CSV table of all heavy atoms in Angstrom, one decimal:
chain,number,residue,atom,x,y,z
A,14,TYR,N,0.9,3.6,-9.2
A,14,TYR,CA,1.5,4.0,-7.9
A,14,TYR,C,1.1,3.0,-6.9
A,14,TYR,O,0.2,2.2,-7.0
A,14,TYR,CB,1.0,5.4,-7.5
A,14,TYR,CG,-0.5,5.4,-7.2
A,14,TYR,CD1,-1.0,5.1,-6.0
A,14,TYR,CD2,-1.4,5.9,-8.2
A,14,TYR,CE1,-2.4,5.1,-5.7
A,14,TYR,CE2,-2.7,5.9,-8.0
A,14,TYR,CZ,-3.2,5.5,-6.7
A,14,TYR,OH,-4.6,5.5,-6.5
A,15,CYS,N,1.9,3.0,-5.8
A,15,CYS,CA,1.5,2.3,-4.5
A,15,CYS,C,1.8,3.2,-3.4
A,15,CYS,O,2.9,3.7,-3.2
A,15,CYS,CB,2.3,1.0,-4.4
A,15,CYS,SG,2.0,0.2,-2.8
A,16,LEU,N,0.7,3.6,-2.6
A,16,LEU,CA,0.9,4.3,-1.4
A,16,LEU,C,0.9,3.3,-0.2
A,16,LEU,O,-0.1,2.6,0.0
A,16,LEU,CB,-0.3,5.3,-1.2
A,16,LEU,CG,-0.4,6.3,-2.4
A,16,LEU,CD1,-1.7,7.2,-2.2
A,16,LEU,CD2,0.8,7.2,-2.5
A,17,LEU,N,2.0,3.2,0.5
A,17,LEU,CA,2.2,2.1,1.4
A,17,LEU,C,2.6,2.6,2.8
A,17,LEU,O,3.4,3.5,2.9
A,17,LEU,CB,3.3,1.2,0.9
A,17,LEU,CG,3.6,-0.1,1.6
A,17,LEU,CD1,2.5,-1.1,1.3
A,17,LEU,CD2,5.0,-0.6,1.2
A,18,THR,N,2.0,2.0,3.8
A,18,THR,CA,2.4,2.3,5.2
A,18,THR,C,2.7,1.0,5.9
A,18,THR,O,2.1,0.0,5.6
A,18,THR,CB,1.3,3.1,6.0
A,18,THR,OG1,0.2,2.2,6.3
A,18,THR,CG2,0.9,4.4,5.3
A,19,LEU,N,3.6,1.1,6.9
A,19,LEU,CA,4.0,-0.1,7.7
A,19,LEU,C,3.9,0.4,9.2
A,19,LEU,O,4.4,1.5,9.5
A,19,LEU,CB,5.4,-0.6,7.4
A,19,LEU,CG,5.6,-1.1,6.0
A,19,LEU,CD1,7.1,-1.5,5.8
A,19,LEU,CD2,4.7,-2.3,5.7
A,20,GLY,N,3.4,-0.4,10.1
A,20,GLY,CA,3.5,-0.1,11.5
A,20,GLY,C,2.6,1.1,11.8
A,20,GLY,O,1.6,1.4,11.3
A,21,ALA,N,3.1,1.9,12.8
A,21,ALA,CA,2.3,3.0,13.4
A,21,ALA,C,2.4,4.2,12.5
A,21,ALA,O,1.7,5.2,12.7
A,21,ALA,CB,2.8,3.3,14.8
A,22,SER,N,3.3,4.2,11.5
A,22,SER,CA,3.5,5.4,10.7
A,22,SER,C,2.3,5.7,9.8
A,22,SER,O,1.7,4.8,9.3
A,22,SER,CB,4.8,5.2,9.8
A,22,SER,OG,4.9,6.3,8.9
A,23,HIS,N,2.1,7.0,9.5
A,23,HIS,CA,1.1,7.4,8.6
A,23,HIS,C,1.8,7.9,7.2
A,23,HIS,O,1.1,8.4,6.4
A,23,HIS,CB,0.3,8.6,9.1
A,23,HIS,CG,-0.5,8.2,10.4
A,23,HIS,ND1,-1.0,9.1,11.2
A,23,HIS,CD2,-0.8,7.0,10.9
A,23,HIS,CE1,-1.6,8.5,12.2
A,23,HIS,NE2,-1.5,7.2,12.0
A,24,ASN,N,3.1,7.7,7.1
A,24,ASN,CA,3.8,8.2,5.9
A,24,ASN,C,3.7,7.1,4.9
A,24,ASN,O,4.1,6.0,5.0
A,24,ASN,CB,5.3,8.4,6.3
A,24,ASN,CG,6.1,9.0,5.2
A,24,ASN,OD1,5.8,8.7,4.0
A,24,ASN,ND2,7.1,9.8,5.5
A,25,ARG,N,3.1,7.5,3.7
A,25,ARG,CA,2.8,6.5,2.6
A,25,ARG,C,3.8,6.5,1.5
A,25,ARG,O,3.6,5.9,0.5
A,25,ARG,CB,1.4,6.7,2.1
A,25,ARG,CG,0.3,6.6,3.1
A,25,ARG,CD,-1.0,6.3,2.5
A,25,ARG,NE,-1.6,7.4,1.9
A,25,ARG,CZ,-2.7,7.4,1.1
A,25,ARG,NH1,-3.3,6.2,0.9
A,25,ARG,NH2,-3.2,8.5,0.6
A,26,ALA,N,4.9,7.2,1.7
A,26,ALA,CA,6.0,7.3,0.7
A,26,ALA,C,6.9,6.1,0.8
A,26,ALA,O,7.1,5.5,1.9
A,26,ALA,CB,6.8,8.6,0.8
A,27,GLY,N,7.5,5.7,-0.3
A,27,GLY,CA,8.5,4.6,-0.3
A,27,GLY,C,9.7,5.0,0.6
A,27,GLY,O,10.1,6.1,0.6
A,28,SER,N,10.3,4.0,1.2
A,28,SER,CA,11.5,4.2,2.1
A,28,SER,C,12.1,2.9,2.4
A,28,SER,O,11.7,1.8,2.0
A,28,SER,CB,11.0,4.9,3.4
A,28,SER,OG,10.4,4.0,4.2
A,29,MET,N,13.2,3.0,3.2
A,29,MET,CA,13.9,1.8,3.7
A,29,MET,C,13.3,1.2,5.0
A,29,MET,O,13.8,0.3,5.6
A,29,MET,CB,15.3,2.1,3.9
A,29,MET,CG,16.1,2.4,2.6
A,29,MET,SD,16.0,1.0,1.4
A,29,MET,CE,16.9,-0.3,2.3
A,30,GLN,N,12.1,1.8,5.4
A,30,GLN,CA,11.5,1.2,6.6
A,30,GLN,C,11.1,-0.2,6.4
A,30,GLN,O,10.6,-0.6,5.3
A,30,GLN,CB,10.2,2.0,6.9
A,30,GLN,CG,9.4,1.5,8.1
A,30,GLN,CD,8.1,2.1,8.3
A,30,GLN,OE1,7.7,3.1,7.6
A,30,GLN,NE2,7.3,1.7,9.3
A,31,ALA,N,11.4,-1.1,7.3
A,31,ALA,CA,11.2,-2.5,7.2
A,31,ALA,C,10.0,-3.0,8.0
A,31,ALA,O,9.7,-2.5,9.1
A,31,ALA,CB,12.4,-3.3,7.6
A,32,TRP,N,9.3,-4.0,7.4
A,32,TRP,CA,8.1,-4.5,8.1
A,32,TRP,C,8.5,-5.4,9.2
A,32,TRP,O,9.4,-6.3,9.1
A,32,TRP,CB,7.3,-5.3,7.1
A,32,TRP,CG,5.9,-5.5,7.4
A,32,TRP,CD1,5.1,-4.8,8.3
A,32,TRP,CD2,4.9,-6.4,6.8
A,32,TRP,NE1,3.8,-5.2,8.3
A,32,TRP,CE2,3.7,-6.2,7.4
A,32,TRP,CE3,5.1,-7.4,5.8
A,32,TRP,CZ2,2.5,-6.9,7.0
A,32,TRP,CZ3,3.9,-8.1,5.4
A,32,TRP,CH2,2.7,-7.9,6.0
A,33,GLN,N,7.9,-5.2,10.4
A,33,GLN,CA,8.3,-6.0,11.6
A,33,GLN,C,7.1,-6.8,12.1
A,33,GLN,O,5.9,-6.4,11.9
A,33,GLN,CB,8.7,-5.0,12.7
A,33,GLN,CG,9.9,-4.2,12.3
A,33,GLN,CD,11.2,-5.0,12.0
A,33,GLN,OE1,11.4,-6.1,12.5
A,33,GLN,NE2,12.0,-4.5,11.1
A,34,PRO,N,7.3,-7.9,12.8
A,34,PRO,CA,6.2,-8.7,13.4
A,34,PRO,C,5.2,-7.9,14.2
A,34,PRO,O,5.6,-7.0,15.0
A,34,PRO,CB,6.9,-9.8,14.2
A,34,PRO,CG,8.3,-9.9,13.6
A,34,PRO,CD,8.6,-8.5,13.1
A,35,GLY,N,3.9,-8.2,14.0
A,35,GLY,CA,2.9,-7.5,14.7
A,35,GLY,C,2.4,-6.2,14.1
A,35,GLY,O,1.4,-5.6,14.5
A,36,GLU,N,3.2,-5.7,13.1
A,36,GLU,CA,2.8,-4.5,12.4
A,36,GLU,C,1.8,-4.7,11.3
A,36,GLU,O,1.7,-5.7,10.7
A,36,GLU,CB,4.1,-3.8,11.8
A,36,GLU,CG,5.0,-3.3,12.9
A,36,GLU,CD,6.2,-2.5,12.3
A,36,GLU,OE1,6.4,-2.7,11.1
A,36,GLU,OE2,6.8,-1.7,13.0
A,37,VAL,N,1.0,-3.6,11.1
A,37,VAL,CA,0.1,-3.6,10.0
A,37,VAL,C,0.7,-3.0,8.7
A,37,VAL,O,1.7,-2.3,8.7
A,37,VAL,CB,-1.2,-2.8,10.3
A,37,VAL,CG1,-1.8,-3.2,11.6
A,37,VAL,CG2,-0.9,-1.3,10.4
A,38,MET,N,0.1,-3.4,7.6
A,38,MET,CA,0.5,-2.8,6.3
A,38,MET,C,-0.8,-2.3,5.6
A,38,MET,O,-1.8,-3.1,5.5
A,38,MET,CB,1.2,-3.8,5.4
A,38,MET,CG,1.4,-3.3,3.9
A,38,MET,SD,1.7,-4.7,2.7
A,38,MET,CE,3.2,-5.4,3.4
A,39,SER,N,-0.8,-1.1,5.1
A,39,SER,CA,-1.9,-0.6,4.2
A,39,SER,C,-1.3,-0.5,2.9
A,39,SER,O,-0.2,0.1,2.7
A,39,SER,CB,-2.5,0.7,4.7
A,39,SER,OG,-1.7,1.8,4.5
A,40,MET,N,-2.0,-1.0,1.9
A,40,MET,CA,-1.5,-1.0,0.5
A,40,MET,C,-2.6,-0.4,-0.4
A,40,MET,O,-3.6,-1.0,-0.6
A,40,MET,CB,-1.1,-2.4,0.0
A,40,MET,CG,-0.6,-2.4,-1.4
A,40,MET,SD,0.0,-4.1,-1.9
A,40,MET,CE,1.5,-4.2,-0.9
A,41,ASP,N,-2.4,0.8,-0.9
A,41,ASP,CA,-3.3,1.6,-1.7
A,41,ASP,C,-2.7,1.7,-3.1
A,41,ASP,O,-1.7,2.4,-3.2
A,41,ASP,CB,-3.6,2.9,-1.1
A,41,ASP,CG,-4.7,3.7,-1.8
A,41,ASP,OD1,-5.0,3.4,-2.9
A,41,ASP,OD2,-5.2,4.6,-1.2
A,42,SER,N,-3.2,1.0,-4.0
A,42,SER,CA,-2.6,1.0,-5.3
A,42,SER,C,-3.5,1.4,-6.5
A,42,SER,O,-4.7,1.1,-6.5
A,42,SER,CB,-2.0,-0.4,-5.7
A,42,SER,OG,-1.4,-0.4,-6.9
A,43,GLY,N,-2.9,2.2,-7.4
A,43,GLY,CA,-3.6,2.6,-8.6
A,43,GLY,C,-2.9,2.0,-9.8
A,43,GLY,O,-1.7,2.1,-9.9
A,44,GLY,N,-3.6,1.4,-10.7
A,44,GLY,CA,-3.1,0.9,-11.9
A,44,GLY,C,-4.2,1.0,-13.0
A,44,GLY,O,-5.3,1.3,-12.6
A,45,ASN,N,-3.8,0.7,-14.2
A,45,ASN,CA,-4.9,0.8,-15.2
A,45,ASN,C,-4.8,-0.4,-16.2
A,45,ASN,O,-3.7,-0.9,-16.4
A,45,ASN,CB,-5.0,2.1,-15.9
A,45,ASN,CG,-3.9,2.4,-16.9
A,45,ASN,OD1,-3.9,1.8,-18.0
A,45,ASN,ND2,-2.9,3.2,-16.5
A,46,TYR,N,-5.9,-0.8,-16.7
A,46,TYR,CA,-6.0,-1.8,-17.7
A,46,TYR,C,-6.6,-1.2,-18.9
A,46,TYR,O,-7.8,-0.8,-18.9
A,46,TYR,CB,-6.8,-3.0,-17.2
A,46,TYR,CG,-6.9,-4.2,-18.1
A,46,TYR,CD1,-5.8,-4.9,-18.4
A,46,TYR,CD2,-8.1,-4.5,-18.7
A,46,TYR,CE1,-5.9,-6.0,-19.3
A,46,TYR,CE2,-8.2,-5.6,-19.6
A,46,TYR,CZ,-7.1,-6.3,-19.8
A,46,TYR,OH,-7.2,-7.4,-20.7
A,47,ARG,N,-5.8,-1.1,-20.0
A,47,ARG,CA,-6.2,-0.5,-21.2
A,47,ARG,C,-6.8,0.9,-21.0
A,47,ARG,O,-7.7,1.3,-21.7
A,47,ARG,CB,-7.2,-1.4,-22.0
A,47,ARG,CG,-6.6,-2.8,-22.3
A,47,ARG,CD,-7.6,-3.6,-23.1
A,47,ARG,NE,-7.1,-5.0,-23.4
A,47,ARG,CZ,-7.7,-5.9,-24.0
A,47,ARG,NH1,-8.9,-5.7,-24.5
A,47,ARG,NH2,-7.1,-7.1,-24.2
A,48,GLY,N,-6.2,1.6,-20.1
A,48,GLY,CA,-6.6,3.0,-19.8
A,48,GLY,C,-7.6,3.2,-18.7
A,48,GLY,O,-7.7,4.3,-18.2
A,49,TYR,N,-8.2,2.1,-18.3
A,49,TYR,CA,-9.3,2.2,-17.3
A,49,TYR,C,-8.7,1.9,-15.9
A,49,TYR,O,-7.9,1.0,-15.7
A,49,TYR,CB,-10.4,1.3,-17.6
A,49,TYR,CG,-11.3,1.9,-18.7
A,49,TYR,CD1,-11.0,1.7,-20.0
A,49,TYR,CD2,-12.4,2.6,-18.4
A,49,TYR,CE1,-11.7,2.3,-21.0
A,49,TYR,CE2,-13.2,3.2,-19.4
A,49,TYR,CZ,-12.8,3.0,-20.7
A,49,TYR,OH,-13.6,3.6,-21.7
A,50,ILE,N,-9.1,2.7,-14.9
A,50,ILE,CA,-8.4,2.8,-13.6
A,50,ILE,C,-8.9,1.7,-12.6
A,50,ILE,O,-10.1,1.5,-12.5
A,50,ILE,CB,-8.7,4.2,-13.0
A,50,ILE,CG1,-8.1,5.3,-13.9
A,50,ILE,CG2,-8.0,4.3,-11.6
A,50,ILE,CD1,-6.6,5.3,-14.1
A,51,GLY,N,-8.0,1.2,-11.9
A,51,GLY,CA,-8.2,0.4,-10.7
A,51,GLY,C,-7.6,1.1,-9.6
A,51,GLY,O,-6.5,1.5,-9.7
A,52,ASP,N,-8.3,1.3,-8.5
A,52,ASP,CA,-7.8,2.0,-7.3
A,52,ASP,C,-8.4,1.4,-6.1
A,52,ASP,O,-9.6,1.7,-5.8
A,52,ASP,CB,-8.2,3.5,-7.5
A,52,ASP,CG,-7.7,4.4,-6.3
A,52,ASP,OD1,-6.8,3.8,-5.5
A,52,ASP,OD2,-8.1,5.5,-6.2
A,53,LEU,N,-7.7,0.6,-5.4
A,53,LEU,CA,-8.2,-0.1,-4.2
A,53,LEU,C,-7.2,0.0,-3.0
A,53,LEU,O,-6.0,0.2,-3.3
A,53,LEU,CB,-8.5,-1.5,-4.5
A,53,LEU,CG,-9.5,-1.7,-5.7
A,53,LEU,CD1,-8.8,-2.1,-6.9
A,53,LEU,CD2,-10.6,-2.8,-5.3
A,54,CYS,N,-7.7,-0.3,-1.8
A,54,CYS,CA,-6.8,-0.4,-0.7
A,54,CYS,C,-7.2,-1.6,0.1
A,54,CYS,O,-8.3,-1.9,0.4
A,54,CYS,CB,-6.9,0.9,0.2
A,54,CYS,SG,-5.7,0.9,1.5
A,55,ARG,N,-6.1,-2.4,0.5
A,55,ARG,CA,-6.3,-3.6,1.3
A,55,ARG,C,-5.3,-3.5,2.5
A,55,ARG,O,-4.3,-2.9,2.4
A,55,ARG,CB,-6.1,-4.8,0.5
A,55,ARG,CG,-7.2,-5.0,-0.6
A,55,ARG,CD,-8.5,-5.3,-0.1
A,55,ARG,NE,-9.6,-5.5,-1.1
A,55,ARG,CZ,-10.4,-4.6,-1.5
A,55,ARG,NH1,-10.4,-3.4,-1.0
A,55,ARG,NH2,-11.4,-4.9,-2.4
A,56,MET,N,-5.6,-4.4,3.5
A,56,MET,CA,-4.8,-4.4,4.7
A,56,MET,C,-4.2,-5.7,5.0
A,56,MET,O,-4.7,-6.8,4.7
A,56,MET,CB,-5.7,-4.0,5.9
A,56,MET,CG,-6.3,-2.6,5.9
A,56,MET,SD,-5.1,-1.3,5.9
A,56,MET,CE,-4.2,-1.7,7.4
A,57,ALA,N,-3.0,-5.7,5.6
A,57,ALA,CA,-2.3,-6.9,6.0
A,57,ALA,C,-1.7,-6.8,7.4
A,57,ALA,O,-1.4,-5.6,7.8
A,57,ALA,CB,-1.2,-7.3,5.0
A,58,ALA,N,-1.4,-7.9,8.0
A,58,ALA,CA,-0.7,-7.9,9.3
A,58,ALA,C,0.4,-8.9,9.2
A,58,ALA,O,0.2,-10.0,8.6
A,58,ALA,CB,-1.6,-8.2,10.4
A,59,LEU,N,1.6,-8.6,9.8
A,59,LEU,CA,2.6,-9.6,9.9
A,59,LEU,C,2.5,-10.4,11.1
A,59,LEU,O,2.9,-10.0,12.2
A,59,LEU,CB,4.0,-8.9,9.8
A,59,LEU,CG,5.2,-9.8,9.6
A,59,LEU,CD1,5.0,-10.7,8.4
A,59,LEU,CD2,6.5,-9.0,9.4
């Protein structure tokens, strides 16, 4: 999965919202490698 927000929104569901200059992005992703979980969150700014 990827739980993603852009800008001032707290909604982490996928949508057609587009990233705009000056906005933040939070990216919280879960994936696994041979069954073992990776779950991290990192931040970006445009």
Side-chain angles (χ1 to χ4, degrees):
Y14 64 85
C15 175
L16 303 175
L17 186 74
T18 68
L19 300 177
S22 173
H23 298 162
N24 186 327
R25 298 203 286 172
S28 73
M29 292 302 294
Q30 180 187 357
W32 204 15
Q33 301 299 329
E36 290 186 339
V37 304
M38 172 199 296
S39 73
M40 182 176 287
D41 187 340
S42 180
N45 73 75
Y46 183 66
R47 300 183 183 178
Y49 283 82
I50 300 295
D52 181 12
L53 302 102
C54 187
R55 296 291 184 259
M56 297 298 304
L59 191 52

